[in-house]
Amino acid sequence: ERLEHLVQDILELASLESSESVLEWRSIDLIEMLRQIVANNQRRAQLTQHTLNFTAADNLPLFKGDRARLRQVFSELLDNAFAYTPTGTTINLETARYEEENRQWLMVQVQDNGPGIAPEDQAHVFDRFFRGRPAEQGNIVGTGLGLCIAQQIVQAHHGHIAMESEPGRGTIFTVWLPVP
């Protein structure tokens, strides 16, 4: 099963990096999509004794993108937050709208209060097959391709993804998507 998952991730990454990648561009209500993702993860939060909070900005415009691919990005970020956040703590998902240099951006942020990412590992979190020490030491399953794939998907939407982390204080992943 893990080998099959690895092969699927490699094939998906190759597809995203090639001109063969086909995105299905449609109007997306980002808030509604994120509400569904949060609702689908509430039972998981209960089972793992996490609190999953969602704060939605008012009046976000529709976004033009590939719903399935964007869903994959936000699901990956939440999966990582669940995997690395200690039992009994909180995971926050938040949206906002920003204007920077005469350009409108939709921001989606996933914040955990896990162990954080060591400074020497932070430059590598989006690298292929990279798994930090907590993943290797903590029996956390994964291929080391999820964040790389998420970054490729966000870039295909003309956006970018950023990470802030402080050891012992958690990690924040922020996805920036341009408003068309």
Side-chain angles (χ1 to χ4, degrees), residues 10-128:
I10 291 170
L11 289 172
E12 184 164 6
L13 190 57
S15 171
L16 286 165
E17 290 177 340
S18 75
S19 59
E20 297 171 21
S21 177
V22 177
L23 297 179
E24 294 183 31
W25 296 93
R26 296 193 173 142
S27 289
I28 301 168
D29 182 338
L30 201 57
I31 298 297
E32 184 56 34
M33 181 181 74
L34 292 169
R35 277 196 179 110
Q36 289 173 1
I37 292 170
V38 168
N40 292 342
N41 279 280
Q42 285 299 346
R43 177 75 177 135
R44 178 182 187 184
Q46 290 174 341
L47 292 172
T48 58
Q49 300 175 357
H50 288 99
T51 300
L52 178 56
N53 294 325
F54 178 49
T55 306
D58 292 333
N59 302 324
L60 284 187
L62 292 178
F63 178 74
K64 201 86 153 153
D66 186 314
R67 182 180 178 86
R69 296 287 190 166
L70 288 173
R71 186 177 187 84
Q72 182 180 353
V73 168
F74 302 123
S75 294
E76 174 67 26
L77 295 177
L78 274 178
D79 285 348
N80 284 349
F82 275 108
Y84 292 98
T85 302
T87 300
T89 57
T90 301
I91 298 167
N92 294 307
L93 179 66
E94 180 180 347
T95 65
R97 182 177 182 170
Y98 287 97
E99 183 172 336
E100 186 176 293
E101 297 178 15
N102 295 325
R103 186 147 194 204
Q104 295 284 318
W105 294 90
L106 302 177
M107 183 273 299
V108 179
Q109 201 169 65
V110 177
Q111 178 180 13
D112 68 48
N113 50 12
I117 300 169
E120 62 272 16
D121 290 346
Q122 290 182 19
H124 304 288
V125 296
F126 296 106
D127 292 352
R128 293 176 181 197

